[in-house]
């Protein structure tokens, strides 16, 4: 039996601060697979269920549930679920016809928004079939939606529940015989109450925990009463979030981000990602005539010695050395007041290159940082590191990996930046009332990316200049379609940052499923 840390417990208590219990702290990992590589060319639900069952012993999170202390005298404990039932956590669904990308995003958002059963282990896996109308995906592809509570993700050190289910080869190793499992009997309510009382007497400051749980609400109230003279810059995303989630995604090549970061000396791949996210946010607010004159900010993690973007920069060798709770977080000005995208990238690079000792950093997770900085930042940008090599689920190759993040009141926009197999996926999460058109938002992201890519030196020219030492041409390369987004219905030219996207545009009508 293991007790939750104060940080993990705060993620549980934060859900009770909102009148709507559906404002949950879930993290949902989205994975799509090509089952043609599986044995026999097809992977049935029964085989997936057996595969998950054979890996249960590799991660304690699978069978651990919460055990709360009576009267909340102490933080809850993780204890084994004596009534564990695998089929309660792994479910099988299918999209209705036509089964396109828009339907998939709606279904994934609904699953993500549902609260987990707090009396059972805090995870669920949905096997989703019926993806036959996805562009650039083979017929028969299926998806896994792995939903985990944020507190359990931190306790398991990132996405361990996802990692243990995959192999790096098509032919998985022969599973070992099932290990006998005998759950430990949890202590009774009286014993837990005594343990909590003793813990509180040994550490008197813990008696303040019930009051500290409501500290974010108290701070928000105090800020309204004692408002400073300088009004913070707010957008539509600094409002109350509803329980209705929206999610969409765009996928790019890592090599293309390397070309973008070369526009500014010293910029990292993480800086380029921040610049694309900043440009997308600027375009979206400009299209709705809501772009403030003052600069907007984001809350993003700091990598050790490489700036923002843990798990995004190749030079970040310490990304596995820290759990999400231990990573410092930085409030980064996004440069949305700048019309030039290169100047915006340089603006971000100067901030991330500063010493963390000088930068206003706080050791918080993305959700806690949102609560503390909800009047100071417009969004959170959270990297979700993935594998640099292809992964396989019982022989089926993973072709897409992304995540849906939690949002909170005052912080209604969260970017999940995932890296997998040479690609970077940027996935914004919001609610239906704050972002009624997620497809338009991701189109703004793509336009922001294309604008920077059009200014970057093409890869062949950059290689030739490096070998010959010739000077770069003053005229920028003409814009072209991204290699990760060639399924757009018609060619598009790079739009300048000052050009507004037509309000209410529906962007494209074809499926936006990612390329393999």
């Amino acid at each position: 039996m293991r007790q939750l840390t104060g940080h993990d417990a705060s993620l549980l208590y934060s859900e009770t601060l909102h009148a709507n219990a559906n404002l949950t702290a879930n993290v949902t990992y989205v994975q799509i697979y090509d089952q043609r590589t599986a044995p026999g060319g097809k992977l049935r639900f029964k085989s997936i269920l057996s595969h998950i069952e054979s890996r249960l012993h590799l991660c304690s999170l699978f069978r651990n549930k919460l055990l709360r202390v009576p009267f909340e005298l102490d933080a809850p404990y993780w204890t084994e679920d004596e009534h564990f039932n695998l089929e309660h956590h792994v479910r099988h669904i299918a999209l209705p016809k036509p089964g396109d990308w828009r339907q998939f995003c709606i279904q994934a958002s609904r699953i993500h928004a549902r609260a987990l059963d707090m009396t059972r282990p805090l995870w669920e896996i949905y096997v989703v079939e019926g993806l036959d109308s996805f562009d650039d995906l083979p017929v028969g592809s299926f998806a896994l939606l792995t939903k985990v509570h944020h507190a359990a993700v931190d306790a398991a050190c990132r996405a361990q529940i996802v990692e243990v289910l995959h192999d790096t080869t098509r032919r998985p190793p022969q599973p070992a015989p099932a290990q006998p499992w005998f759950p430990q009997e949890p202590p009774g309510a009286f014993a837990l109450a005594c343990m909590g009382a003793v813990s509180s007497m040994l550490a008197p400051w813990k008696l303040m925990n019930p009051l500290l749980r409501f500290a974010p609400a108290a701070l928000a109230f105090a800020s309204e009463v004692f408002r400073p003279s300088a009004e913070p810059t707010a957008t539509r995303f600094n409002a109350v979030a509803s329980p209705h989630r929206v999610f969409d995604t765009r996928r790019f090549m890592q090599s293309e981000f390397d070309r973008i970061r070369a526009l500014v000396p010293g910029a990292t791949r993480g800086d380029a990602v921040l610049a694309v996210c900043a440009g997308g946010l600027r375009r979206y607010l400009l299209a709705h005539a809501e772009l403030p004159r003052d600069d907007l900010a984001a809350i993003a993690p700091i990598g050790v010695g490489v700036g923002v973007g843990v798990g995004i920069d190749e030079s970040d060798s310490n990304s596995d050395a820290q759990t999400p709770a231990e990573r410092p977080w930085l409030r980064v000005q996004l440069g949305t007041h700048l019309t030039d995208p290169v100047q915006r990238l340089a603006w971000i690079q100067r901030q991330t290159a500063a010493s963390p000792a000088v930068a206003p950093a706080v050791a918080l997770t993305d959700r806690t940082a949102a609560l503390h900085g909800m009047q100071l930042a417009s969004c959170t940008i959270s990297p979700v590191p993935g594998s640099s090599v292809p992964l396989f689920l019982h022989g089926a190759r993973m072709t897409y990996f992304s995540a849906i993040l939690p949002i909170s009141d005052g912080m209604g926009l969260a970017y999940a930046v995932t890296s997998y197999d040479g690609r970077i996926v940027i996935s914004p999460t919001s609610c239906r009332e704050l972002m009624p058109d997620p497809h338009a938002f991701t189109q703004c992201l793509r336009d922001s990316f294309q604008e920077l890519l059009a200014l970057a030196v093409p890869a062949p020219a950059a290689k030739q200049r490096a070998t010959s030492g010739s000077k770069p041409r003053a005229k920028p390369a003409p814009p072209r379609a991204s290699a990760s987004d060639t399924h757009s219905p018609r060619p598009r030219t790079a739009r300048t940052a000052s050009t507004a996207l037509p309000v209410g545009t529906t962007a494209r009508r074809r499926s936006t499923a990612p390329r393999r």
Side-chain angles (χ1 to χ4, degrees):
M1 193 171 68
R2 175 172 50 87
Q3 191 174 24
L4 273 72
T5 64
H7 161 71
D8 295 337
S10 67
L11 295 173
L12 296 173
Y13 300 139
S14 65
E15 293 185 355
T16 62
L17 296 177
H18 197 275
N20 195 329
N22 287 329
L23 194 61
T24 58
N26 299 332
V27 177
T28 302
Y29 300 98
V30 183
Q31 305 128 76
I32 300 178
Y33 301 88
D34 180 4
Q35 62 177 336
R36 295 179 302 176
T37 60
K42 190 171 182 62
L43 189 59
R44 300 185 180 278
F45 176 72
K46 184 177 180 180
S47 301
I48 298 176
L49 202 63
S50 300
H51 176 76
I52 297 175
E53 187 175 14
S54 67
R55 306 290 177 97
L56 291 177
H57 65 283
L58 298 178
C59 180
S60 60
L61 174 63
F62 281 116
R63 293 184 174 124
N64 281 0
K65 68 175 183 178
L66 287 176
L67 183 63
R68 293 183 179 269
V69 178
F71 308 109
E72 302 291 347
L73 293 174
D74 205 356
Y77 290 84
W78 289 111
T79 183
E80 293 180 334
D81 184 7
E82 63 275 18
H83 303 296
F84 177 77
N85 183 4
L86 179 62
E87 295 188 10
H88 175 84
H89 297 272
V90 184
R91 302 168 186 182
H92 189 195
I93 62 175
L95 291 182
K97 295 294 183 180
D100 56 17
W101 177 253
R102 179 177 175 273
Q103 286 180 304
F104 176 75
C105 289
I106 293 175
Q107 184 67 275
S109 301
R110 289 174 177 172
I111 291 175
H112 169 78
R114 296 175 192 151
L116 290 162
D117 187 350
M118 306 301 285
T119 64
R120 298 179 182 268
L122 300 182
W123 64 275
E124 292 176 351
I125 294 179
Y126 288 80
V127 181
V128 185
E129 294 184 343
L131 314 183
D132 296 341
S133 294
F134 281 21
D135 288 347
D136 305 319
L137 285 182
V139 176
S141 295
F142 68 95
L144 250 63
L145 302 177
T146 305
K147 184 170 66 173
V148 194
H149 197 280
H150 205 330
V153 172
D154 287 349
C157 298
R158 298 187 310 158
Q160 185 181 0
I161 192 173
V162 176
E163 296 171 359
V164 300
L165 298 179
H166 295 87
D167 304 290
T168 56
T169 60
R170 287 181 53 184
R171 299 185 180 275
Q174 190 68 21
Q179 299 183 2
W181 176 67
F182 303 98
Q184 299 178 351
E185 185 176 356
F190 180 76
L192 285 174
C194 292
M195 292 169 58
V198 171
S199 178
S200 298
M201 286 187 295
L202 295 178
W205 60 270
K206 286 188 176 181
L207 294 174
M208 298 296 295
N209 280 348
L211 297 178
L212 293 178
R213 292 168 197 162
F214 297 95
L219 290 175
F221 175 77
S223 65
E224 291 293 333
V225 177
F226 306 101
R227 179 171 295 181
S229 56
E231 290 283 343
T233 303
T235 67
R236 63 163 62 196
F237 300 111
N238 299 115
V240 176
S242 73
H244 309 109
R245 294 292 169 267
V246 292
F247 155 80
D248 209 335
T249 187
R250 285 286 177 167
R251 189 161 74 160
F252 312 96
M253 298 294 297
Q254 290 183 359
S255 59
E256 293 174 331
F257 273 103
D258 290 336
R259 290 171 51 193
I260 291 175
R261 70 175 181 174
L263 290 170
V264 175
T268 65
R269 189 183 295 165
D271 296 335
V273 170
L274 287 177
V276 170
C277 294
L281 178 61
R282 171 188 165 84
R283 286 175 174 272
Y284 183 79
L285 294 177
L286 190 62
H288 291 79
E290 297 176 1
L291 180 65
R293 292 185 177 180
D294 297 332
D295 192 9
L296 300 178
I299 295 177
I302 305 175
V304 180
V306 297
V308 176
V310 174
I312 301 301
D313 296 301
E314 294 178 352
S315 57
D316 184 11
S317 59
N318 297 322
S319 60
D320 294 335
Q322 293 178 307
T323 63
E326 296 171 342
R327 296 173 186 164
W329 289 75
L330 173 69
R331 179 177 175 269
V332 183
Q333 296 297 135
L334 295 176
T336 54
H337 64 295
L338 301 173
T339 58
D340 191 309
V342 179
Q343 292 181 4
R344 193 179 306 122
L345 175 59
W347 175 270
I348 293 173
Q349 187 273 335
R350 286 193 295 269
Q351 298 176 73
T352 60
S355 172
V358 179
V362 288
L364 300 171
T365 65
D366 50 355
R367 185 174 175 85
T368 312
L371 291 173
H372 285 258
M374 59 184 176
Q375 292 186 346
L376 301 177
S378 298
C379 61
T380 58
I381 303 176
S382 303
V384 183
S387 173
S388 59
V389 298
L391 297 180
F392 298 86
L393 177 75
H394 200 66
R397 175 170 176 159
M398 183 193 298
T399 58
Y400 169 87
F401 174 64
S402 183
I404 310 176
L405 298 180
I407 60 174
S408 59
D409 288 344
M411 187 65 73
L413 174 62
Y415 292 93
V417 183
T418 56
S419 57
Y420 169 69
D421 194 20
R423 295 183 181 269
I424 291 179
V425 181
I426 303 179
S427 306
T429 304
S430 186
C431 72
R432 192 168 61 197
E433 285 70 21
L434 302 182
M435 187 191 292
D437 47 357
H439 54 281
F441 191 94
T442 53
Q443 181 65 35
C444 291
L445 276 177
R446 178 182 180 273
D447 291 342
S448 173
F449 172 83
Q450 291 292 86
E451 183 180 34
L452 284 165
L453 187 63
L455 299 173
V457 179
K463 183 177 180 181
Q464 181 180 3
R465 191 177 72 238
T467 56
S468 62
S470 60
K471 296 182 179 180
R473 293 178 299 175
K475 184 179 180 180
R480 65 172 183 83
S482 168
S484 60
D485 245 333
T486 55
H487 54 273
S488 183
R490 60 183 181 275
R492 293 178 179 267
T493 58
R495 184 184 291 114
T496 62
S498 60
T499 303
L501 186 71
V503 181
T505 179
T506 57
R508 55 191 175 191
R509 299 201 178 269
R510 294 183 60 189
S511 170
T512 56
R515 295 173 62 90
R516 289 190 295 123

